[in-house]
Amino acid sequence: MNTAEPYRHKVQYYETDQMGIVHHSNYIRWFEEARTDLMAQMGMGYEEMEKRGIMSPVLSVEADYLRMVHFGDTVAINAYIKEYNGIKMTIVYEVVDEKTEMVHCRGLTRHCFINESGRPVSLKQCCLEFHDMFAKGLCDHKNKQ
């Protein structure tokens, strides 16, 4: 697959504050949902990676809140691999209002890869299928720019 489809999310009431505005913590959850969806679209999801004894914890998260999102809005979260070297990966996100096509939030997550005992691993050495998948995702994004 050359280009992943955006992950779509309709804002639920419980995700908002008393003014009907999405609480900032929910954007981080949406990033995770979009990342999980991206991997599934690329061909192998988190479940498969964990079955093979590889985990990908979040090392850091950044989010820039540009505009408010409200209860009932539907957003598309575009996710793509910005950096990948076999040991670490950075995924970038854009939260876009489906109606206005305006960007409401931009963010990124940084990840590493570890085995079941918590030791860092190189996907190039321990799981070539995932390495190739992430490398292709990075390449596809760079070619799209």
Side-chain angles (χ1 to χ4, degrees):
M1 154 168 276
N2 284 339
T3 306
E5 290 294 316
Y7 174 75
R8 290 184 167 36
H9 181 84
K10 183 171 176 140
V11 177
Q12 302 300 309
Y13 184 75
Y14 72 87
E15 296 174 305
T16 64
D17 61 18
Q18 202 169 21
M19 297 177 291
I21 298 168
V22 172
H23 188 271
H24 66 274
S25 65
N26 288 295
Y27 292 85
I28 307 306
R29 290 182 179 98
W30 298 350
F31 292 173
E32 184 170 336
E33 292 170 12
R35 182 172 64 253
T36 302
D37 183 66
L38 174 65
M39 285 182 63
Q41 287 188 56
M42 291 172 70
M44 287 188 283
Y46 269 113
E47 313 84 38
E48 182 61 30
M49 197 163 62
E50 289 185 356
K51 275 186 204 172
R52 297 179 189 205
I54 301 166
M55 273 121 338
S56 182
V58 175
L59 299 173
S60 65
V61 176
E62 294 177 19
D64 293 320
Y65 305 102
L66 308 171
R67 292 175 186 77
M68 295 177 274
V69 177
H70 297 86
F71 169 65
D73 290 349
T74 300
V75 294
I77 299 114
N78 300 300
Y80 60 87
I81 298 170
K82 181 180 178 186
E83 298 170 346
Y84 171 74
N85 65 9
I87 300 167
K88 290 185 179 180
M89 177 170 63
T90 301
I91 301 180
V92 175
Y93 311 87
E94 271 192 343
V95 178
V96 179
D97 184 281
E98 249 188 10
K99 286 182 187 170
T100 66
E101 297 184 3
M102 293 179 77
V103 177
H104 286 251
C105 180
R106 286 191 177 100
L108 64 83
T109 54
R110 289 184 182 88
H111 305 261
C112 67
F113 301 99
I114 60 173
N115 62 21
E116 291 169 320
S117 61
R119 293 218 175 283
V121 296
S122 167
L123 292 183
K124 290 179 192 178
Q125 295 174 0
C126 74
C127 192
L128 202 52
E129 286 177 281
F130 276 100
H131 169 71
D132 290 346
M133 181 181 84
F134 291 135
K136 182 180 181 329
L138 174 63
C139 185
D140 287 348
H141 170 67
K142 286 186 176 182
N143 290 336
K144 196 170 92 172
Q145 290 181 328

